[in-house]
């Protein structure tokens, strides 16, 4: 439920900057991290990083945009079809639809 896609794009839910206890007084915005890795082959599965999504994505430009409503970062990707694997830390509950960190691995899919 936290990740959905079609061949042109992916939506992954992640912690929102305003996901904090209170806006009273001084406060720190919540932070989230998305790590994108370009791999040549999938890594072995790990109990430390359970897979929450696997799919295919067409990246004709060889670049992928990762962002939210406020900003985006353009990251290199394999040109053409990519296998996309999204993992989270092992301490993230399956029902958690807004983890603070996601890892996205891109592997050439031919």
């Amino acid at each position: 439920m936290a990740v959905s896609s079609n061949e042109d794009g992916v939506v992954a839910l992640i912690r929102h900057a305003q996901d904090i206890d209170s806006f009273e007084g001084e406060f720190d915005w919540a932070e989230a991290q998305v790590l994108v890795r370009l791999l040549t082959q999938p890594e072995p599965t790990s109990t430390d990083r359970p897979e929450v999504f696997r799919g295919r994505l067409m990246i004709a430009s060889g670049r992928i945009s990762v962002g939210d409503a406020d900003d985006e970062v353009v990251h290199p990707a394999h040109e053409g079809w990519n296998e996309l694997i999204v993992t989270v830390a092992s301490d993230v509950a399956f029902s958690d639809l807004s983890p603070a960190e996601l890892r996205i691995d891109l592997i050439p899919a031919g």
Side-chain angles (χ1 to χ4, degrees):
M1 288 180 13
V3 183
S4 61
S5 80
N6 64 23
E7 65 185 37
D8 299 314
V10 176
V11 175
L13 303 180
I14 194 162
R15 188 173 186 190
H16 190 278
Q18 294 179 359
D19 187 11
I20 58 177
D21 292 334
S22 171
F23 286 104
E24 301 294 326
E26 291 188 29
F27 58 87
D28 290 323
W29 294 109
E31 293 184 7
Q33 179 181 27
V34 177
L35 174 65
V36 178
R37 302 186 318 161
L38 297 179
L39 304 176
T40 57
Q41 59 186 2
E43 291 186 338
T45 57
S46 166
T47 56
D48 292 340
R49 296 212 53 90
E51 183 179 305
V52 295
F53 180 83
R54 180 181 293 250
R56 287 173 54 99
L57 185 65
M58 171 51 83
I59 306 176
S61 67
R63 299 179 317 218
I64 186 170
S65 296
V66 178
D68 60 14
D70 295 325
D71 199 11
E72 73 176 337
V73 173
V74 177
H75 193 283
H78 303 289
E79 190 172 324
W81 284 105
N82 283 253
E83 182 175 3
L84 180 128
I85 302 169
V86 180
T87 60
V88 295
S90 60
D91 61 351
V92 174
F94 184 73
S95 60
D96 185 352
L97 297 180
S98 59
E101 180 265 334
L102 289 177
R103 187 169 78 193
I104 299 170
D105 291 341
L106 298 171
I107 301 126

